[in-house]
Amino acid sequence: MTMHPLRSCFSVLFVVYLLQCRLFFVHCILDPLDFLALQSVRKSLDDMPGSNFFASWDFTSDPCNFAGVYCESDRVIALNLGDPRAGSPGLIGRLDPAIGKLSSLTELSVVPGRIMGSLPQSISQLNDLRFLAISRNFLSGGIPATLGQLRNLKTLDLSYNQLTGDIPRSIGTIPGLSNVILSHNRISGSVPPFLSETLTRLELKHNELSGSISPTSLPPSLQYLSLSWNRLSGPVDLLLIRLDRLNYLDLSMNQFSGCIPSRIFTFPITNLQLQRNSFSGPVQPGGEVAIPTVDLSYNRLSGEVSPMFSTVQNLYLNNNRFIGQVPGSFVDRLMDASIQVLYLQHNYLTGMQINPTVEIPLSSSLCLQYNCMVPPIQTPCPLKAGKQRTRPTAQCNEWRG
């Protein structure tokens, strides 16, 4: 039986490697299976022009000294493919299924580049894997459901690729997950339940996810939740009141509906983004809102504007159905430059008690146009607010009626 020329070449390299260890008394520690797996990985990848990551990958020397290869005892425990320095051109090629033979691997990462093809199913054989990050490449196909077998996985980052299909429910059952980042792909279907009580970051933005989210599908441990730019729908009030450890929340650009719970304004959030949904009803925080940026624009919110929002630095309430007078506390905060952005355009507001001759601080932006009043002060508005200063009287009368 004739040996395949390529396999023969690898075998020769391995023999040379062993001879070198003996002749020069080099402490060669790598397991033969790991040695052959690294050769297969190297064969399927190349440096992009301007990259020299693989310059050190000389298989006649100890692979544990290769760039991006980290060993413990006689096994590879971490594989970081590509030059991690900012602006490096990355790698091109495909991920060889032989990666699954690196059975002691705890960390696998690939820097941004042009890695194409599907994510190898064999990765699910890496029982010790804790960190898997292959972002900003061109991976395609689905996310293997067998990744749910990686019961020790803490971080999964497959963002900025071209992945399709759904998020396997098996991934949500991994008990110790801390970070799931699948944003900027073409993933569809619903958001599965995540059972990990240590999950702190869930980032699924810029996909094609749809359907509603169960109130108990996300753990209270979450601190960062980004679901923007999807097609998700239904109410989220019962879900949100459970997530009181959030410090970042972005649900924008979806079809969420129902009310916004007042309790959410007490969370330690620095940026609250709920814009461009179908939230409705009044919004009444229980106390002064300490969140620096609150964007509730382009919804169906109604009732009067709460004075509790006057402590927000950047407040976007435009394109809703708010009525009544703008609270006086907003005027005071505007004049002392505590408010940097106050967008109230495209509502049904009827007045604002402000001296028409005052000058708004240059650091502040105020827009009042297209309400049921003549703006008492002329201020520059964003171009997309349109040119009409006042809402037609017929619309205001109809809304009051």
Side-chain angles (χ1 to χ4, degrees):
M1 182 175 178
T2 304
M3 182 179 292
H4 190 279
L6 197 55
R7 182 175 297 177
S8 175
C9 178
F10 286 167
S11 300
V12 169
L13 284 173
F14 188 54
V15 170
V16 170
Y17 166 61
L18 292 177
L19 287 174
Q20 179 173 296
C21 294
R22 293 179 178 179
L23 289 173
F24 297 99
F25 304 101
V26 178
H27 182 52
C28 299
I29 60 175
L30 195 61
D31 181 274
L33 289 177
D34 284 16
F35 182 91
L36 294 173
L38 287 177
Q39 286 186 323
S40 296
V41 169
R42 173 64 184 94
K43 171 180 168 289
S44 64
L45 295 171
D46 276 307
D47 284 304
M48 289 177 61
S51 172
N52 62 352
F53 172 75
F54 282 124
S56 66
W57 282 49
D58 176 4
F59 283 94
T60 62
S61 61
D62 187 356
C64 291
N65 293 325
F66 291 179
V69 177
Y70 302 88
C71 299
E72 186 174 281
S73 185
D74 63 341
R75 307 307 300 266
V76 177
I77 61 167
L79 184 59
N80 307 136
L81 294 171
D83 190 339
R85 291 177 299 181
S88 62
L91 306 177
I92 189 171
R94 295 174 181 269
L95 294 176
D96 194 280
I99 283 180
K101 299 294 185 182
L102 299 170
S103 58
S104 296
L105 210 60
T106 62
E107 178 179 323
L108 173 60
S109 67
V110 181
V111 302
R114 297 188 65 84
I115 306 297
M116 301 182 183
S118 59
L119 192 67
Q121 291 269 357
S122 61
I123 288 179
S124 62
Q125 301 169 12
L126 302 173
N127 296 326
D128 295 329
L129 198 65
R130 295 195 296 267
F131 184 89
L132 175 58
I134 307 173
S135 65
R136 297 182 186 272
N137 278 279
F138 291 84
L139 291 178
S140 58
I143 301 173
T146 52
L147 289 187
Q149 299 173 17
L150 301 175
R151 308 309 284 177
N152 292 306
L153 196 65
K154 305 296 183 186
T155 293
L156 175 63
D157 183 357
L158 301 176
S159 59
Y160 290 89
N161 280 289
Q162 298 176 0
L163 297 171
T164 55
D166 59 5
I167 301 172
R169 293 179 69 89
S170 59
I171 289 178
T173 68
I174 299 175
L177 270 180
S178 297
N179 305 285
V180 177
I181 307 171
L182 302 175
S183 55
H184 290 269
N185 279 287
R186 300 171 186 172
I187 301 169
S188 57
S190 60
V191 177
F194 284 89
L195 306 181
S196 170
E197 297 180 357
T198 60
L199 187 67
T200 57
R201 185 183 187 98
L202 180 61
E203 191 168 338
L204 306 176
K205 65 183 179 182
H206 283 268
N207 277 293
E208 299 172 10
L209 296 167
S210 60
S212 59
I213 303 178
S214 167
T216 58
S217 62
L218 301 181
S221 56
L222 270 179
Q223 298 176 20
Y224 186 106
L225 177 60
S226 178
L227 302 175
S228 62
W229 290 88
N230 279 287
R231 303 170 189 168
L232 297 165
S233 59
V236 290
D237 53 327
L238 296 179
L239 170 71
L240 292 178
I241 60 176
R242 296 178 61 250
L243 306 181
D244 57 0
R245 300 179 199 174
L246 286 174
N247 55 47
Y248 181 89
L249 176 62
D250 186 358
L251 303 182
S252 63
M253 307 298 291
N254 279 287
Q255 299 163 21
F256 290 121
S257 58
C259 66
I260 297 175
S262 59
R263 187 181 174 194
I264 196 175
F265 298 106
T266 66
F267 291 178
I269 297 174
T270 55
N271 197 332
L272 175 60
Q273 300 183 61
L274 302 179
Q275 69 270 25
R276 295 186 183 273
N277 279 285
S278 296
F279 291 116
S280 60
V283 186
Q284 296 294 334
E288 291 187 345
V289 180
I291 303 172
T293 297
V294 175
D295 194 342
L296 308 181
S297 62
Y298 292 91
N299 278 288
R300 300 173 184 174
L301 301 171
S302 57
E304 296 188 351
V305 175
S306 171
M308 298 301 173
F309 282 122
S310 63
T311 48
V312 177
Q313 295 175 16
N314 303 288
L315 181 63
Y316 303 85
L317 299 180
N318 54 289
N319 294 82
N320 277 289
R321 300 171 181 176
F322 289 112
I323 61 172
Q325 293 269 328
V326 178
S329 54
F330 281 94
V331 178
D332 298 336
R333 300 275 296 175
L334 266 173
M335 299 315 299
D336 66 15
S338 298
I339 294 179
Q340 297 175 9
V341 176
L342 178 57
Y343 280 179
L344 298 171
Q345 68 270 21
H346 286 258
N347 278 289
Y348 294 83
L349 300 170
T350 53
M352 182 176 186
Q353 297 300 317
I354 187 170
N355 189 330
T357 62
V358 302
E359 292 187 6
I360 302 295
L362 293 176
S363 59
S364 301
S365 297
L366 169 67
C367 185
L368 292 170
Q369 72 184 50
Y370 209 71
N371 276 286
C372 295
M373 61 174 172
V374 176
I377 186 171
Q378 297 303 310
T379 54
C381 287
L383 290 176
K384 59 185 177 182
K387 297 181 179 180
Q388 288 182 282
R389 293 176 57 202
T390 306
R391 184 179 288 276
T393 303
Q395 290 185 17
C396 294
N397 291 337
E398 180 182 355
W399 189 249
R400 292 193 192 100

